[in-house]
Amino acid sequence: MKVVSISKSHGGLQGVYLHASEVCACDMTFAAFVPPQAKDGHLPVLWYLSGLTCTHANVMDKGEYRCLASELGLVIVCPDTSPRGADIPDEKDNWQFGCGAGFYLDATEQPYAKNYRMYSYLTEELPALVAANFPVDTSRQAIFGHSMGGHGALTIALKNPERYRSCSAFAPIVQPSTAGWSRPAFEKYLGSDEKSWRAYDTTLLIEDGKRFPEFLVDQGTADGFLQDGLRPWLLEEACKTAGIDLTLRMQEGYDHSYNFISTFMDDHLKWHARHLG
């Protein structure tokens, strides 16, 4: 693991790291904030998954999480959104697919299956790397994210409920198998058999019996993607039917940007901290 950069913030250390990923068959970058309490022992870890077109840097630069994370004693890990590099198959003119748009799944179709294995990367390889190199208590993990990353957080939590104590999301894509901006990517990554898509669709995972105790979701009412891409009412219906506790907060006048995310970031950190102990 190579240190790309590291700087002090709110008494802790904000670092960016590069490592060779066997799972994604390329170099991968991630950010990690370690608060000052780490000098006294291992701390709970909160994973943040970013949205379409983002890297690890977007939330690091605009998410405004370090002050409260330092107070609460939370390690925050921010992975990249996809594999990257000159040899990675991509559609450079398509912001909804390829680099920056990995959708947190394991692709099965060529030429994407070799590199686009973000689900395995985030549930196997990166957690092992973080556990070996940072002062984290792996018995206290939580996960959240934005948009495509909200989709990733929800699906990963549903499929690994024993690992995460809490899960939340900002404006998540709750049914990517039918949303216009994600359905084409699913077909390219996973093929034309839509039954295989269910493994990466929050509402369909719930329909198929996957469970998580509760979710917190914030959604802006002025979000331009609300009606066609995000559709939180579908998650609300699925959770109600399944008996999953969902706190869905429709935030009046907020859009899809980091102005929205940073406004409610503290609420999410406090919510996760209560669950993480």
Side-chain angles (χ1 to χ4, degrees):
M1 190 177 72
K2 175 184 176 182
V3 178
V4 177
S5 66
I6 195 162
S7 59
K8 190 170 183 178
S9 177
H10 296 281
L13 294 174
Q14 176 66 68
V16 177
Y17 306 90
L18 180 75
H19 73 104
S21 169
E22 293 184 8
V23 170
C24 295
C26 65
D27 288 343
M28 294 292 289
T29 304
F30 68 95
F33 175 72
V34 179
Q37 295 90 331
K39 67 181 185 297
D40 298 320
H42 286 50
L43 300 173
V45 56
L46 179 55
W47 301 85
Y48 178 89
L49 308 185
S50 291
L52 287 162
T53 75
C54 291
T55 70
H56 67 280
N58 295 73
V59 68
M60 188 178 75
D61 294 341
K62 298 180 286 187
E64 300 181 18
Y65 58 81
R66 280 179 289 268
C67 180
L68 188 58
S70 184
E71 292 180 23
L72 296 173
L74 297 174
V75 174
I76 311 288
V77 179
C78 308
D80 203 349
T81 55
S82 76
R84 297 180 192 270
D87 298 327
I88 304 299
D90 188 20
E91 292 184 3
K92 296 187 184 302
D93 60 346
N94 184 0
W95 63 276
Q96 298 172 342
F97 182 76
C99 291
F103 280 95
Y104 303 105
L105 49 75
D106 282 353
T108 56
E109 297 298 296
Q110 298 302 334
Y112 309 108
K114 176 182 178 182
N115 305 108
Y116 287 85
R117 301 185 61 213
M118 292 300 294
Y119 176 80
S120 291
Y121 175 69
L122 290 173
T123 59
E124 299 171 14
E125 187 176 40
L126 187 58
L129 182 72
V130 168
N133 289 278
F134 296 88
V136 297
D137 178 356
T138 56
S139 70
R140 292 188 290 164
Q141 298 188 61
I143 190 167
F144 68 151
H146 170 234
S147 193
M148 179 183 73
H151 138 76
L154 293 169
T155 56
I156 289 172
L158 282 165
K159 292 161 73 170
N160 302 274
E162 72 291 340
R163 177 179 299 188
Y164 304 100
R165 294 196 183 184
S166 53
C167 175
S168 71
F170 302 98
I173 306 171
V174 304
Q175 197 176 86
S177 63
T178 62
W181 63 351
S182 48
R183 182 179 172 86
F186 269 45
E187 185 165 12
K188 292 174 185 177
Y189 286 136
L190 301 172
S192 58
D193 183 2
E194 296 185 21
K195 291 192 294 293
S196 67
W197 302 5
R198 301 181 72 90
Y200 301 104
D201 184 304
T202 297
T203 61
L204 300 183
L205 282 168
I206 293 172
E207 185 177 299
D208 290 344
K210 298 295 185 182
R211 295 292 182 267
F212 198 78
E214 61 178 318
F215 298 120
L216 168 65
V217 172
D218 275 313
Q219 171 66 62
T221 62
D223 191 320
F225 302 107
L226 176 59
Q227 296 297 323
D228 297 326
L230 305 172
R231 303 172 296 168
W233 50 87
L234 299 178
L235 177 62
E236 192 170 34
E237 293 169 5
C239 287
K240 182 178 181 180
T241 300
I244 296 173
D245 186 3
L246 170 66
T247 300
L248 173 60
R249 308 193 306 183
M250 299 300 296
Q251 303 292 0
E252 187 65 33
Y254 285 90
D255 60 15
H256 199 68
S257 72
Y258 269 92
N259 295 325
F260 157 62
I261 297 167
S262 62
T263 299
F264 301 102
M265 177 62 76
D266 281 6
D267 288 356
H268 285 244
L269 295 184
K270 291 174 183 176
W271 190 78
H272 286 293
R274 288 196 295 272
H275 287 78
L276 290 166

